[in-house]
Amino acid sequence: MSPSSIVRTPMNRRGFVSLAGSAAAGVALTACGSSGSGSAKTVTIEYWHQFSAAYGGAAMEKLIAKFNKQNPGIHVVSSYKDAATQPLQLLQPTFIGGATPPDVGAIYFGSELLGFMANKFPYTSVDQLADKFSGKDFLAKMPTNMLQAAKVGSTQVGLPLYAAVLMGIYNVDVVRGAGVDPASLTTWDQWRAAARTIRRRTGAPPLWIHLDSTDNWGSQTLVESNGGRFVECGPDGAKAAIAGPAGVEAIEMWTGLVRDGLASPSRSAAAQQAFMAGRLPVVFTTPGLYGTFKSQAKFEIAGTPAPSFGSKPQRLPIGGKLMVCFARDERKQEASWRLMQFLASPESQAALDKATGYLPVRQDVPSPADAFGRLGVKQAAFAVPRQGFPGPQGPQAAQALFDGMVTLLNSRTEVKPALAGIAAKVDGLVKGQPCR
């Protein structure tokens, strides 16, 4: 069901309690709503972000201070919210307790999460904001693939804030010390051969492919880059497509790396710790970790593009965050829209890219100073919208697929029948839901 672009009425306490129960499967979002009244001359809006003091927070606070200085009629109060906590859970006490939620916030690009939010929470669409307060010229300068990723149906629900596509980050000392030059590696077959060389030096699996939370980002990137899709349209509506030939081949490649001792099936936190300790030389994950690794690692690091499957064109499902506004007061809507455009401007995007490693959501940013930033800008051109499972049980479907993939990677089960079983579970949860 496509969301309406109108501003919906606020949920009452009972309505949110019901929603909170259905969100226990791990829906991750941050929303926005009307905040304090401010003075007659100054509009005060609240902005929630997920940049900690040690991870891009200083850059974000500088941007907010700059915005406040440039817009004397608006005062933005920004707050850091722990990215490791499901943001919906953070908002539950606010809604249930009758407090006022923030005006501007960020939600994940994940399709089922965005679709779930758009159908359950009151929001003001970007379409409306641009119509009411101008901004169509601004939107015309945004890349089509980035805007498309922030849509549900035909509605521009949010405005991209920062992006991520799967990229490689590697320990230069270990990888090049093993005689491997990542600049010469472009395919998964080439990386498999290189991994064998690196393993002879390290004695441990040298690769890791993103496996975190329930977002299925790593598996979806592999399937899409191999020419497949995560979701397709069947006689009964949406259904999982991971068990198709392209999906089976892509996941067989991943499980093969794990079973041959060339890739670790660890979850994200363990993989990050192993990388920082120098035990895991190559991670294919979010570029957002680059800034943290670079500031804390005791060795040189560098980046490399996500490998392809031979000559098949790259399709890199987008990660990162987009900004959504729930403001219902017109003055707050206008102020929120100004802030959203400011944070998506070339200058702000360049500052966030430099501080975190996340990719800019537009191509007209000043050229990044380091090689990883320049590589990220090029990789962003291959970004495609995330495919997710529609309907109220979309998050549960994503959880079922993720749990199945974790089990598969940590077993010797044959891939094709295992994926068929995972797809059947997903189909049971999304049967009858319309295709997007």
Side-chain angles (χ1 to χ4, degrees):
M1 177 173 60
S2 297
S4 169
S5 61
I6 63 171
V7 181
R8 304 181 185 184
T9 56
M11 286 182 291
N12 59 25
R13 173 172 175 161
R14 178 176 297 179
F16 189 83
V17 171
S18 174
L19 170 60
S22 68
V27 180
L29 66 93
T30 304
C32 59
S34 58
S35 64
S37 59
S39 69
K41 295 182 179 180
T42 301
V43 176
T44 299
I45 59 174
E46 186 174 2
Y47 166 55
W48 281 11
H49 64 80
Q50 295 180 350
F51 293 99
S52 67
Y55 182 60
M60 177 57 73
E61 291 308 317
K62 285 182 180 178
L63 288 174
I64 296 303
K66 181 178 180 181
F67 177 84
N68 283 336
K69 184 176 181 179
Q70 292 178 352
N71 296 270
I74 302 172
H75 180 68
V76 178
V77 178
S78 63
S79 301
Y80 160 69
K81 301 299 177 184
D82 186 2
T85 303
Q86 298 291 351
L88 181 58
Q89 296 172 11
L90 284 173
L91 284 175
Q92 285 180 23
T94 300
F95 279 94
I96 295 173
T100 304
D103 293 283
V104 180
I107 70 167
Y108 295 100
F109 269 114
S111 267
E112 54 272 312
L113 305 177
L114 178 57
F116 187 93
M117 182 283 301
N119 284 287
K120 292 292 184 180
F121 284 79
Y123 70 95
T124 306
S125 73
V126 167
D127 302 316
Q128 276 193 309
L129 294 171
D131 283 341
K132 291 174 68 175
F133 309 115
S134 78
K136 291 184 178 180
D137 290 343
F138 180 89
L139 294 177
K141 297 177 182 178
M142 298 283 290
T144 301
N145 64 335
M146 292 293 171
L147 288 176
Q148 187 64 39
K151 284 186 174 183
V152 174
S154 61
T155 301
Q156 191 70 54
V157 175
L159 187 68
L161 174 60
Y162 59 86
V165 296
L166 197 74
M167 291 177 64
I169 304 173
Y170 64 92
N171 182 322
V172 173
D173 299 339
V174 174
V175 174
R176 293 184 180 167
V180 172
D181 178 14
S184 67
L185 309 177
T186 60
T187 69
W188 283 111
D189 284 344
Q190 290 172 338
W191 269 103
R192 169 184 282 278
R196 293 188 184 280
T197 301
I198 299 170
R199 182 179 169 85
R200 285 195 288 270
R201 175 184 171 94
T202 63
L207 307 182
W208 178 75
I209 298 173
H210 187 88
L211 188 67
D212 182 39
S213 186
T214 61
D215 61 12
N216 296 303
W217 192 45
S219 55
Q220 186 169 347
T221 297
L222 294 179
V223 172
E224 295 245 347
S225 289
N226 197 37
R229 299 292 183 269
F230 241 44
V231 184
E232 63 184 13
C233 193
D236 296 321
K239 60 179 298 184
I242 192 173
V248 171
E249 185 178 63
I251 302 306
E252 282 180 339
M253 185 281 298
W254 191 1
T255 58
L257 289 172
V258 172
R259 293 168 189 180
D260 289 346
L262 302 176
S264 168
S266 299
R267 301 283 287 272
S268 184
Q272 291 178 41
Q273 292 173 4
F275 182 84
M276 293 297 294
R279 300 191 305 271
L280 183 59
V282 186
V283 293
F284 290 100
T285 186
T286 170
L289 287 173
Y290 181 80
T292 300
F293 287 161
K294 187 174 183 180
S295 65
Q296 298 179 12
K298 297 180 180 179
F299 46 84
E300 183 183 356
I301 66 172
T304 184
S308 65
F309 285 85
S311 60
K312 294 177 182 177
Q314 282 283 50
R315 284 180 58 87
L316 303 178
I318 195 170
K321 301 289 190 299
L322 61 136
M323 295 173 282
V324 180
C325 181
F326 282 37
R328 293 178 287 275
D329 175 85
E330 188 164 299
R331 292 183 70 209
K332 292 178 182 294
Q333 289 175 3
E334 183 174 13
S336 297
W337 180 228
R338 277 199 192 181
L339 175 64
M340 292 163 70
Q341 291 178 88
F342 172 81
L343 292 176
S345 69
E347 294 74 21
S348 296
Q349 288 292 297
L352 292 176
D353 171 58
K354 182 178 179 180
T356 66
Y358 276 114
L359 312 184
V361 296
R362 51 195 304 154
Q363 294 291 311
D364 56 351
V365 296
S367 180
D370 65 2
F372 187 86
R374 293 191 294 273
L375 175 63
V377 171
K378 292 180 180 178
Q379 290 298 103
F382 300 107
V384 297
R386 293 280 292 278
Q387 284 192 299
F389 303 113
Q393 296 191 89
Q396 290 93 320
Q399 178 77 56
L401 195 152
F402 179 81
D403 291 343
M405 280 299 306
V406 170
T407 299
L408 180 57
L409 286 167
N410 286 277
S411 72
R412 291 279 175 175
T413 305
E414 188 178 348
V415 171
K416 186 174 181 178
L419 289 182
I422 293 170
K425 289 182 180 179
V426 170
D427 291 347
L429 292 166
V430 300
K431 184 177 180 180
Q433 292 300 319
C435 302
R436 287 179 182 162

